[in-house]
Amino acid sequence: MSAILDADFIARANAPLAASLERDYAALGEQLERRGVAIDTITGQVSGFAVALPSWAVGTGGTRFARFPGPGEPRNVFEKIQDCGVVHALTASTPTVSLHLPWDRATDYTELRQYATTIGLGFDAVNSNTFQDQPGQQHSYKFGSLSHSDRAVRTQAIEHNLDVIRIGQLLGSHALTLWIADGANFPGQQHLARAFERYLESAARIYAALPADWRLLIEHKMYEPAFYATVIQDWGSSLMAAQTLGPKAHCLVDLGHHAPNVNIEMIVTRLIQAGRLGGFHFNDSKYGDDDLDAGSIHPYRLFLIFNELVDAQWRRVPDLRPAHMLDQSHNVTDPIESLIASATALTRAYAQALLVDRQRLDELQTDNDALMASQLLQQAHASDVSPILARARQQRGAAIDPLQAYRSSGYRARAAADRPAQQRGRAGII
Ligand code: RM4
Ligand code: MN
Ligand code: MN
């Protein structure tokens, strides 16, 4: 396993950076103290932050036009886990992987789980796939899956989900993420109400098969691949479904699945209020479901989402434990680098949200001081919390500068040598 980064390598990479981190951390600590914030408390909270890596994001993504594979792409789920292990070794904030089935099918899931354990990883939610036809599959999903007009197709899609739950149990997972592509391209193509009813009936059968300590995460998406109407197209449909199914059903918010300019933090807070915020697929976007690196386009929006989460924590909202997962497609970057940058962006937004003086904000809101309330949030977002993030990583044996450490590790070159390129130039899938 020459390719995994060892602790010695990270210690060597950190050595020349430790002294300046010390000074930067002390300077920031002094500055925060003047604002009434104890830096070590924030660092401690940041150390507890974790986000799951999507197995499908360690390969190079693409568009429907083309995919340009990078060197050393993982060829199977074991190699994907290995790449995820590198991200976690460098950041200490990605201890779990979210698998997608059947993309990540293995012959022995107990072996896969053991392998993941040896490199310090566990498993988050498992994802089912009823948006593509698989070789040898009896019925096609061309016109839908769980909401299909034909019962036989619905049954096949339900069975697949039950299979994914069984695999998830072997892996130690505790949630199934349900995203369906079902919908219509044309008005009239589908009876909108009946399709939703059929979805609810199918989802109820999946729900009934959930183990006691599992959650069903219902993911909505406004459009694509269906371009006129999607069965679970918005958080309203998602919440209706969750409330109809029962207490183990929750809503998953993928940041790229909304209409442009939708206020996502508002959706987050409504779902918290309904007790149904199940988790996130973090990514960023400019136009549609672009699956760009988290925080790369709208960092303030990401901060505002974390601001709602931290606020809910501060208000002690009971039983709030949303799954944090990334869902990205890396078309022009080294996926490992993008995942490092994205995990860092999330941690940064979280740390900044922790800096907000909630008591003060409450007073400003009560006094209707719009300007100062807005300034309070902007000041937190403008704070450079990098030394806190670096210290949190350093304390857990990860890299002070994870991107730099990754580049100097030679991991990609070794992976390229160990994993000769397969087929080139296939179309992208996500
Ligand atoms: C969808 C959605 C799902 C993901 C697929 C691949 O747009 O985001 O979460 O599983 O893409
Ligand atoms: Mn998603
Ligand atoms: Mn998506």
Side-chain angles (χ1 to χ4, degrees), residues 73 148 172 230 349 381:
E73 295 200 310
H148 199 283
T230 290
H381 178 62

Coordinates of all heavy atoms in Angstrom, one line a residue, residues 73 148 172 230 349 381:
E73 N -6.6 7.4 -12.0 CA -8.0 7.4 -11.5 C -8.3 6.0 -10.8 O -7.8 5.0 -11.3 CB -9.0 7.5 -12.6 CG -8.9 8.8 -13.3 CD -10.2 9.1 -14.1 OE1 -10.6 8.2 -14.8 OE2 -10.8 10.1 -13.9
H148 N -43.0 5.1 -11.5 CA -43.3 4.6 -12.8 C -44.8 4.2 -12.9 O -45.3 3.7 -12.0 CB -42.4 3.4 -13.2 CG -42.3 3.1 -14.7 ND1 -43.3 2.5 -15.4 CD2 -41.4 3.4 -15.6 CE1 -43.0 2.4 -16.6 NE2 -41.8 3.0 -16.8
G172 N -22.0 -0.9 7.9 CA -22.1 -0.1 9.1 C -22.7 1.3 8.9 O -22.5 2.2 9.7
T230 N -40.2 17.4 -12.2 CA -39.6 16.3 -11.4 C -40.5 15.9 -10.3 O -41.0 16.8 -9.6 CB -38.2 16.8 -11.0 OG1 -37.4 16.9 -12.2 CG2 -37.5 15.8 -10.1
A349 N -16.4 27.9 6.8 CA -17.7 28.5 7.0 C -18.2 28.2 8.4 O -18.9 29.0 9.1 CB -18.7 27.9 5.9
H381 N -17.9 36.6 8.7 CA -17.5 36.0 7.4 C -16.2 36.5 6.9 O -15.5 35.8 6.2 CB -18.6 36.2 6.4 CG -18.3 35.7 5.1 ND1 -18.1 34.3 4.8 CD2 -18.1 36.3 3.9 CE1 -17.8 34.1 3.6 NE2 -17.8 35.3 3.0

